[in-house]
Amino acid sequence: MPLAPNLMEILARARADLRMGVPVVLMGADGAGVLVLAAETASEERLALLRQAEGETELVLTARRAETLKARVYDGDLARVALPADAGISWVRNVSDPADDLSMPMKGPLKERRGGDVALHRLAITLAKSARLLPAALVLPVAAPRGVALNENLTLVDGVAAAPSMLMLANLDHVVSARVPLETAENARLHIFRPADGSEEHYAVEVGRPDRHAPVLARLHSACFTGDVLGSLKCDCGPQLHAALARMGEEGAGVLLYLNQEGRGIGLANKMRAYALQDQGFDTVEANHRLGFEDDERDFRLGAEILRKMGFTSVRLLTNNPNKLAMMERCGIAVAERVPLKVGKTAFNAHYLATKAAKSGHLL
């Protein structure tokens, strides 16, 4: 067995590097490549070094963010903006982050690029998203990516192999389980599942001993630090979590999957950015779009895979979200019944819940 890291491990390194502001190198099919810095974590010093190199650095944004900036999108789901000659890191941050959009609405004039292969640019955005950073990246073309990576001691990613790999669900290993008596269910066990790609672990709370041959009362619950832990009134997550566990305790059996996909999959920092935008008057979907994300970036395949590993093939799903029902069915988990979970409405989240119903189709 080779000691060198495999592709999945290299991608985990690349995500960690981007989070720390370290560049990574992506190599394309033709042997050429790009040097990538996450816009959120890039430093003034490293941006200056990019300027000294041959080639022109571009700021790559998602089409969602470009729409807010009124930037032209020539490449489908992303836009490439030329870096102005006098642009520093503050310009990069202002264009990438919508925090000051209302106070500084004019970011341009922006010079958009078009033409050429953008596969590596798209991979750069995917990596930034998976690192839970703003979906924006500084990209510099390089003719000899292997040499650049070797000389600068940077992580080199095979972009051809990595692009489809990033869309695949990493294998989940069951690490350990133990009895954890809960307030609502004293006969509960907590199972820990660890993805092979180095991303966050996910948990399953098993109440009682559910029959593997019958539909299990189940909930796919996405982590919400503010609601689950702090008791935030801006969402209904905490009440849904506790109501689901209480229902399972009453019935004597069930499984709650606690998936670490904070903020609909964008991470806690970006979720707080979305909250700040909501304070400016945008709804939850509009806030995500202004940040450059889609309405919902979560991957519910995780829930189906954990259920399968635990021996379940059908569920009575506690949810108001039709997307969860559809994903379970697509992944081979039969949905015998949708069990509504309408709790937690407050004066602070009424607009949020209305937006989920109107724009995301939640059955409220």
Side-chain angles (χ1 to χ4, degrees):
M1 178 180 177
L3 294 176
N6 61 29
L7 176 61
M8 191 169 290
E9 292 161 344
I10 290 171
L11 287 169
R13 282 186 179 179
R15 286 193 293 269
D17 287 347
L18 291 176
R19 286 181 63 83
M20 293 186 293
V22 178
V24 300
V25 181
L26 311 181
M27 185 170 64
D30 57 359
V34 295
L35 186 71
V36 176
L37 270 170
E40 179 179 341
T41 56
S43 67
E44 196 74 71
E45 293 75 17
R46 284 193 166 110
L47 177 58
L49 291 173
L50 260 61
R51 289 189 171 287
Q52 295 171 19
E54 293 184 13
E56 296 187 28
T57 301
E58 298 173 344
L59 177 60
V60 183
L61 306 166
T62 66
R64 291 294 192 188
R65 179 65 183 144
E67 181 182 7
T68 294
L69 297 168
K70 303 297 187 290
R72 286 166 291 188
V73 177
Y74 295 118
D75 298 306
D77 56 346
L78 57 83
R80 295 143 57 203
V81 177
L83 214 61
D86 59 346
I89 204 65
S90 60
W91 182 89
V92 171
R93 301 263 168 79
N94 286 334
V95 174
S96 306
D97 189 338
D100 296 323
D101 278 358
L102 294 188
S103 59
M104 297 192 320
M106 298 302 294
K107 307 289 186 182
L110 301 177
K111 181 181 178 182
E112 300 87 353
R113 292 276 173 75
R114 65 194 305 176
D117 187 355
V118 296
L120 295 181
H121 300 71
R122 186 168 290 113
L123 179 57
I125 291 293
T126 303
L127 276 170
K129 280 188 177 183
S130 67
R132 300 293 186 259
L133 299 170
L134 284 168
L138 292 162
V139 175
L140 171 70
V142 291
R146 287 188 184 278
V148 171
L150 182 62
N151 292 338
E152 300 293 340
N153 196 24
L154 300 176
T155 299
L156 175 67
V157 177
D158 179 346
V160 177
S165 176
M166 293 289 289
L167 301 177
M168 296 171 60
L169 188 68
N171 185 54
L172 287 162
D173 293 322
H174 183 271
V175 180
V176 67
S177 62
R179 190 174 69 89
V180 181
L182 304 179
E183 200 173 287
T184 54
E186 294 183 2
N187 57 342
R189 295 179 65 81
L190 181 63
H191 302 262
I192 309 299
F193 290 86
R194 181 176 296 156
D197 63 0
S199 57
E200 298 96 335
E201 294 171 346
H202 306 285
Y203 321 127
V205 180
E206 183 179 10
V207 175
R209 298 293 181 185
D211 184 354
R212 264 58 176 176
H213 302 291
V216 63
L217 182 64
R219 166 140 180 94
L220 275 64
H221 189 89
S222 298
C224 178
F225 173 75
T226 51
D228 299 341
V229 179
L230 302 183
S232 168
L233 301 177
K234 281 182 67 71
C235 64
D236 56 344
C237 301
Q240 285 190 324
L241 171 65
H242 298 295
L245 288 173
R247 176 71 178 267
M248 292 172 191
E250 290 167 5
E251 294 199 8
V255 58
L256 183 139
L257 308 182
Y258 197 87
L259 307 177
N260 274 309
Q261 301 189 110
E262 180 81 45
R264 295 187 191 172
I266 66 177
L268 185 56
N270 286 320
K271 175 180 165 181
M272 290 302 98
R273 290 185 172 108
Y275 274 17
L277 291 173
Q278 290 171 36
D279 288 340
Q280 295 178 20
F282 301 103
D283 67 33
T284 181
V285 171
E286 292 166 343
N288 267 28
H289 290 179
R290 294 185 78 87
L291 285 165
F293 294 104
E294 295 302 318
D295 302 20
D296 195 334
E297 298 274 354
R298 290 175 293 181
D299 189 346
F300 295 126
R301 294 179 301 172
L302 286 165
E305 184 61 19
I306 293 175
L307 285 167
R308 189 177 294 109
K309 283 188 174 290
M310 294 182 70
F312 298 109
T313 58
S314 62
V315 293
R316 296 165 52 224
L317 199 60
L318 279 156
T319 187
N320 305 320
N321 186 350
N323 291 329
K324 291 182 182 179
L325 304 173
M327 183 54 74
M328 290 302 99
E329 294 283 1
R330 284 201 294 271
C331 292
I333 302 294
V335 180
E337 178 189 1
R338 181 186 78 86
V339 182
L341 194 59
K342 300 179 182 180
V343 294
K345 185 175 182 179
T346 72
F348 295 92
N349 65 26
H351 181 60
Y352 163 78
L353 295 177
T355 300
K356 285 208 298 184
K359 293 189 175 182
S360 302
H362 285 222
L363 305 172
L364 298 172

PDB file of all heavy atoms in Angstrom, residues 333-356:
ATOM      1  N   ILE A 333     -34.445   4.542  -0.382  1.00  0.00           N
ATOM      2  CA  ILE A 333     -35.096   4.443   0.926  1.00  0.00           C
ATOM      3  C   ILE A 333     -36.578   4.782   0.728  1.00  0.00           C
ATOM      4  O   ILE A 333     -36.921   5.918   0.407  1.00  0.00           O
ATOM      5  CB  ILE A 333     -34.471   5.395   1.960  1.00  0.00           C
ATOM      6  CG1 ILE A 333     -32.977   5.113   2.138  1.00  0.00           C
ATOM      7  CG2 ILE A 333     -35.210   5.299   3.283  1.00  0.00           C
ATOM      8  CD1 ILE A 333     -32.653   3.764   2.751  1.00  0.00           C
ATOM      9  N   ALA A 334     -37.447   3.801   0.892  1.00  0.00           N
ATOM     10  CA  ALA A 334     -38.876   4.018   0.666  1.00  0.00           C
ATOM     11  C   ALA A 334     -39.467   4.893   1.767  1.00  0.00           C
ATOM     12  O   ALA A 334     -39.154   4.720   2.943  1.00  0.00           O
ATOM     13  CB  ALA A 334     -39.602   2.673   0.622  1.00  0.00           C
ATOM     14  N   VAL A 335     -40.308   5.838   1.364  1.00  0.00           N
ATOM     15  CA  VAL A 335     -40.992   6.703   2.325  1.00  0.00           C
ATOM     16  C   VAL A 335     -42.429   6.224   2.455  1.00  0.00           C
ATOM     17  O   VAL A 335     -43.261   6.453   1.568  1.00  0.00           O
ATOM     18  CB  VAL A 335     -40.943   8.179   1.897  1.00  0.00           C
ATOM     19  CG1 VAL A 335     -41.667   9.054   2.920  1.00  0.00           C
ATOM     20  CG2 VAL A 335     -39.504   8.645   1.718  1.00  0.00           C
ATOM     21  N   ALA A 336     -42.710   5.553   3.552  1.00  0.00           N
ATOM     22  CA  ALA A 336     -44.055   5.008   3.771  1.00  0.00           C
ATOM     23  C   ALA A 336     -45.046   6.091   4.183  1.00  0.00           C
ATOM     24  O   ALA A 336     -46.249   5.977   3.924  1.00  0.00           O
ATOM     25  CB  ALA A 336     -44.007   3.913   4.829  1.00  0.00           C
ATOM     26  N   GLU A 337     -44.522   7.144   4.830  1.00  0.00           N
ATOM     27  CA  GLU A 337     -45.400   8.198   5.340  1.00  0.00           C
ATOM     28  C   GLU A 337     -44.582   9.447   5.611  1.00  0.00           C
ATOM     29  O   GLU A 337     -43.429   9.368   6.035  1.00  0.00           O
ATOM     30  CB  GLU A 337     -46.060   7.733   6.644  1.00  0.00           C
ATOM     31  CG  GLU A 337     -46.969   8.750   7.308  1.00  0.00           C
ATOM     32  CD  GLU A 337     -47.426   8.316   8.695  1.00  0.00           C
ATOM     33  OE1 GLU A 337     -47.017   7.224   9.162  1.00  0.00           O
ATOM     34  OE2 GLU A 337     -48.180   9.088   9.324  1.00  0.00           O
ATOM     35  N   ARG A 338     -45.184  10.613   5.324  1.00  0.00           N
ATOM     36  CA  ARG A 338     -44.592  11.878   5.787  1.00  0.00           C
ATOM     37  C   ARG A 338     -45.293  12.280   7.059  1.00  0.00           C
ATOM     38  O   ARG A 338     -46.518  12.422   7.089  1.00  0.00           O
ATOM     39  CB  ARG A 338     -44.729  12.992   4.746  1.00  0.00           C
ATOM     40  CG  ARG A 338     -44.077  14.310   5.215  1.00  0.00           C
ATOM     41  CD  ARG A 338     -44.334  15.444   4.258  1.00  0.00           C
ATOM     42  NE  ARG A 338     -45.670  16.005   4.389  1.00  0.00           N
ATOM     43  CZ  ARG A 338     -46.022  16.956   5.251  1.00  0.00           C
ATOM     44  NH1 ARG A 338     -45.118  17.435   6.111  1.00  0.00           N
ATOM     45  NH2 ARG A 338     -47.254  17.428   5.280  1.00  0.00           N
ATOM     46  N   VAL A 339     -44.521  12.461   8.119  1.00  0.00           N
ATOM     47  CA  VAL A 339     -45.072  12.873   9.401  1.00  0.00           C
ATOM     48  C   VAL A 339     -44.781  14.359   9.590  1.00  0.00           C
ATOM     49  O   VAL A 339     -43.613  14.750   9.703  1.00  0.00           O
ATOM     50  CB  VAL A 339     -44.466  12.053  10.560  1.00  0.00           C
ATOM     51  CG1 VAL A 339     -45.099  12.467  11.886  1.00  0.00           C
ATOM     52  CG2 VAL A 339     -44.632  10.559  10.314  1.00  0.00           C
ATOM     53  N   PRO A 340     -45.779  15.235   9.560  1.00  0.00           N
ATOM     54  CA  PRO A 340     -45.545  16.681   9.691  1.00  0.00           C
ATOM     55  C   PRO A 340     -44.856  17.029  11.006  1.00  0.00           C
ATOM     56  O   PRO A 340     -45.013  16.325  12.015  1.00  0.00           O
ATOM     57  CB  PRO A 340     -46.953  17.279   9.635  1.00  0.00           C
ATOM     58  CG  PRO A 340     -47.784  16.245   8.962  1.00  0.00           C
ATOM     59  CD  PRO A 340     -47.213  14.923   9.397  1.00  0.00           C
ATOM     60  N   LEU A 341     -44.109  18.113  10.987  1.00  0.00           N
ATOM     61  CA  LEU A 341     -43.376  18.560  12.177  1.00  0.00           C
ATOM     62  C   LEU A 341     -43.489  20.077  12.265  1.00  0.00           C
ATOM     63  O   LEU A 341     -42.525  20.808  12.015  1.00  0.00           O
ATOM     64  CB  LEU A 341     -41.917  18.110  12.080  1.00  0.00           C
ATOM     65  CG  LEU A 341     -41.046  18.187  13.340  1.00  0.00           C
ATOM     66  CD1 LEU A 341     -41.642  17.346  14.465  1.00  0.00           C
ATOM     67  CD2 LEU A 341     -39.629  17.747  13.043  1.00  0.00           C
ATOM     68  N   LYS A 342     -44.674  20.550  12.590  1.00  0.00           N
ATOM     69  CA  LYS A 342     -44.940  21.988  12.601  1.00  0.00           C
ATOM     70  C   LYS A 342     -44.866  22.524  14.017  1.00  0.00           C
ATOM     71  O   LYS A 342     -45.852  22.531  14.759  1.00  0.00           O
ATOM     72  CB  LYS A 342     -46.310  22.264  11.984  1.00  0.00           C
ATOM     73  CG  LYS A 342     -46.426  21.800  10.530  1.00  0.00           C
ATOM     74  CD  LYS A 342     -47.814  22.061   9.963  1.00  0.00           C
ATOM     75  CE  LYS A 342     -47.928  21.555   8.542  1.00  0.00           C
ATOM     76  NZ  LYS A 342     -49.278  21.792   7.959  1.00  0.00           N
ATOM     77  N   VAL A 343     -43.676  22.958  14.395  1.00  0.00           N
ATOM     78  CA  VAL A 343     -43.445  23.505  15.732  1.00  0.00           C
ATOM     79  C   VAL A 343     -42.489  24.689  15.621  1.00  0.00           C
ATOM     80  O   VAL A 343     -41.815  24.871  14.615  1.00  0.00           O
ATOM     81  CB  VAL A 343     -42.835  22.440  16.683  1.00  0.00           C
ATOM     82  CG1 VAL A 343     -43.821  21.321  16.956  1.00  0.00           C
ATOM     83  CG2 VAL A 343     -41.535  21.880  16.105  1.00  0.00           C
ATOM     84  N   GLY A 344     -42.438  25.491  16.695  1.00  0.00           N
ATOM     85  CA  GLY A 344     -41.389  26.497  16.812  1.00  0.00           C
ATOM     86  C   GLY A 344     -41.622  27.833  16.141  1.00  0.00           C
ATOM     87  O   GLY A 344     -40.687  28.622  16.002  1.00  0.00           O
ATOM     88  N   LYS A 345     -42.847  28.124  15.720  1.00  0.00           N
ATOM     89  CA  LYS A 345     -43.079  29.419  15.092  1.00  0.00           C
ATOM     90  C   LYS A 345     -43.056  30.522  16.144  1.00  0.00           C
ATOM     91  O   LYS A 345     -43.667  30.407  17.207  1.00  0.00           O
ATOM     92  CB  LYS A 345     -44.432  29.426  14.372  1.00  0.00           C
ATOM     93  CG  LYS A 345     -44.702  30.701  13.594  1.00  0.00           C
ATOM     94  CD  LYS A 345     -45.995  30.603  12.795  1.00  0.00           C
ATOM     95  CE  LYS A 345     -46.241  31.875  11.986  1.00  0.00           C
ATOM     96  NZ  LYS A 345     -47.482  31.785  11.171  1.00  0.00           N
ATOM     97  N   THR A 346     -42.314  31.609  15.852  1.00  0.00           N
ATOM     98  CA  THR A 346     -42.212  32.751  16.755  1.00  0.00           C
ATOM     99  C   THR A 346     -42.390  34.043  15.964  1.00  0.00           C
ATOM    100  O   THR A 346     -42.389  34.034  14.729  1.00  0.00           O
ATOM    101  CB  THR A 346     -40.840  32.796  17.457  1.00  0.00           C
ATOM    102  OG1 THR A 346     -39.839  33.193  16.500  1.00  0.00           O
ATOM    103  CG2 THR A 346     -40.465  31.451  18.064  1.00  0.00           C
ATOM    104  N   ALA A 347     -42.481  35.138  16.678  1.00  0.00           N
ATOM    105  CA  ALA A 347     -42.565  36.437  16.004  1.00  0.00           C
ATOM    106  C   ALA A 347     -41.283  36.748  15.246  1.00  0.00           C
ATOM    107  O   ALA A 347     -41.284  37.526  14.290  1.00  0.00           O
ATOM    108  CB  ALA A 347     -42.837  37.530  17.038  1.00  0.00           C
ATOM    109  N   PHE A 348     -40.183  36.121  15.650  1.00  0.00           N
ATOM    110  CA  PHE A 348     -38.888  36.392  15.025  1.00  0.00           C
ATOM    111  C   PHE A 348     -38.659  35.566  13.757  1.00  0.00           C
ATOM    112  O   PHE A 348     -37.818  35.927  12.937  1.00  0.00           O
ATOM    113  CB  PHE A 348     -37.749  36.109  16.014  1.00  0.00           C
ATOM    114  CG  PHE A 348     -37.737  37.007  17.214  1.00  0.00           C
ATOM    115  CD1 PHE A 348     -38.396  36.638  18.375  1.00  0.00           C
ATOM    116  CD2 PHE A 348     -37.082  38.228  17.177  1.00  0.00           C
ATOM    117  CE1 PHE A 348     -38.401  37.469  19.486  1.00  0.00           C
ATOM    118  CE2 PHE A 348     -37.084  39.062  18.284  1.00  0.00           C
ATOM    119  CZ  PHE A 348     -37.744  38.683  19.446  1.00  0.00           C
ATOM    120  N   ASN A 349     -39.364  34.441  13.613  1.00  0.00           N
ATOM    121  CA  ASN A 349     -39.095  33.595  12.454  1.00  0.00           C
ATOM    122  C   ASN A 349     -40.295  33.431  11.517  1.00  0.00           C
ATOM    123  O   ASN A 349     -40.241  32.623  10.579  1.00  0.00           O
ATOM    124  CB  ASN A 349     -38.588  32.212  12.893  1.00  0.00           C
ATOM    125  CG  ASN A 349     -39.628  31.404  13.660  1.00  0.00           C
ATOM    126  OD1 ASN A 349     -40.823  31.586  13.497  1.00  0.00           O
ATOM    127  ND2 ASN A 349     -39.159  30.479  14.496  1.00  0.00           N
ATOM    128  N   ALA A 350     -41.355  34.165  11.757  1.00  0.00           N
ATOM    129  CA  ALA A 350     -42.560  34.028  10.931  1.00  0.00           C
ATOM    130  C   ALA A 350     -42.257  34.298   9.457  1.00  0.00           C
ATOM    131  O   ALA A 350     -42.708  33.568   8.567  1.00  0.00           O
ATOM    132  CB  ALA A 350     -43.656  34.963  11.437  1.00  0.00           C
ATOM    133  N   HIS A 351     -41.477  35.344   9.180  1.00  0.00           N
ATOM    134  CA  HIS A 351     -41.139  35.666   7.786  1.00  0.00           C
ATOM    135  C   HIS A 351     -40.242  34.593   7.188  1.00  0.00           C
ATOM    136  O   HIS A 351     -40.383  34.205   6.019  1.00  0.00           O
ATOM    137  CB  HIS A 351     -40.454  37.033   7.714  1.00  0.00           C
ATOM    138  CG  HIS A 351     -40.088  37.455   6.323  1.00  0.00           C
ATOM    139  ND1 HIS A 351     -41.024  37.610   5.324  1.00  0.00           N
ATOM    140  CD2 HIS A 351     -38.877  37.738   5.759  1.00  0.00           C
ATOM    141  CE1 HIS A 351     -40.410  37.978   4.200  1.00  0.00           C
ATOM    142  NE2 HIS A 351     -39.112  38.052   4.448  1.00  0.00           N
ATOM    143  N   TYR A 352     -39.317  34.080   7.988  1.00  0.00           N
ATOM    144  CA  TYR A 352     -38.420  33.007   7.559  1.00  0.00           C
ATOM    145  C   TYR A 352     -39.217  31.766   7.158  1.00  0.00           C
ATOM    146  O   TYR A 352     -38.977  31.155   6.106  1.00  0.00           O
ATOM    147  CB  TYR A 352     -37.438  32.697   8.688  1.00  0.00           C
ATOM    148  CG  TYR A 352     -36.715  31.374   8.596  1.00  0.00           C
ATOM    149  CD1 TYR A 352     -35.636  31.200   7.730  1.00  0.00           C
ATOM    150  CD2 TYR A 352     -37.095  30.300   9.397  1.00  0.00           C
ATOM    151  CE1 TYR A 352     -34.969  29.990   7.652  1.00  0.00           C
ATOM    152  CE2 TYR A 352     -36.430  29.086   9.336  1.00  0.00           C
ATOM    153  CZ  TYR A 352     -35.376  28.935   8.467  1.00  0.00           C
ATOM    154  OH  TYR A 352     -34.718  27.735   8.400  1.00  0.00           O
ATOM    155  N   LEU A 353     -40.191  31.381   7.988  1.00  0.00           N
ATOM    156  CA  LEU A 353     -41.007  30.210   7.690  1.00  0.00           C
ATOM    157  C   LEU A 353     -41.876  30.443   6.456  1.00  0.00           C
ATOM    158  O   LEU A 353     -42.053  29.541   5.630  1.00  0.00           O
ATOM    159  CB  LEU A 353     -41.881  29.858   8.892  1.00  0.00           C
ATOM    160  CG  LEU A 353     -41.131  29.411  10.153  1.00  0.00           C
ATOM    161  CD1 LEU A 353     -42.112  29.163  11.294  1.00  0.00           C
ATOM    162  CD2 LEU A 353     -40.306  28.163   9.888  1.00  0.00           C
ATOM    163  N   ALA A 354     -42.394  31.657   6.319  1.00  0.00           N
ATOM    164  CA  ALA A 354     -43.205  31.975   5.141  1.00  0.00           C
ATOM    165  C   ALA A 354     -42.368  31.891   3.865  1.00  0.00           C
ATOM    166  O   ALA A 354     -42.850  31.427   2.822  1.00  0.00           O
ATOM    167  CB  ALA A 354     -43.805  33.371   5.292  1.00  0.00           C
ATOM    168  N   THR A 355     -41.118  32.328   3.948  1.00  0.00           N
ATOM    169  CA  THR A 355     -40.222  32.263   2.806  1.00  0.00           C
ATOM    170  C   THR A 355     -39.913  30.809   2.444  1.00  0.00           C
ATOM    171  O   THR A 355     -39.861  30.439   1.274  1.00  0.00           O
ATOM    172  CB  THR A 355     -38.907  33.011   3.089  1.00  0.00           C
ATOM    173  OG1 THR A 355     -39.207  34.385   3.369  1.00  0.00           O
ATOM    174  CG2 THR A 355     -37.953  32.939   1.900  1.00  0.00           C
ATOM    175  N   LYS A 356     -39.684  29.971   3.460  1.00  0.00           N
ATOM    176  CA  LYS A 356     -39.433  28.547   3.185  1.00  0.00           C
ATOM    177  C   LYS A 356     -40.628  27.921   2.466  1.00  0.00           C
ATOM    178  O   LYS A 356     -40.441  27.086   1.568  1.00  0.00           O
ATOM    179  CB  LYS A 356     -39.153  27.792   4.496  1.00  0.00           C
ATOM    180  CG  LYS A 356     -37.777  28.051   5.079  1.00  0.00           C
ATOM    181  CD  LYS A 356     -37.262  26.884   5.897  1.00  0.00           C
ATOM    182  CE  LYS A 356     -38.109  26.558   7.098  1.00  0.00           C
ATOM    183  NZ  LYS A 356     -37.495  25.456   7.919  1.00  0.00           N
TER     184      LYS A 356
END
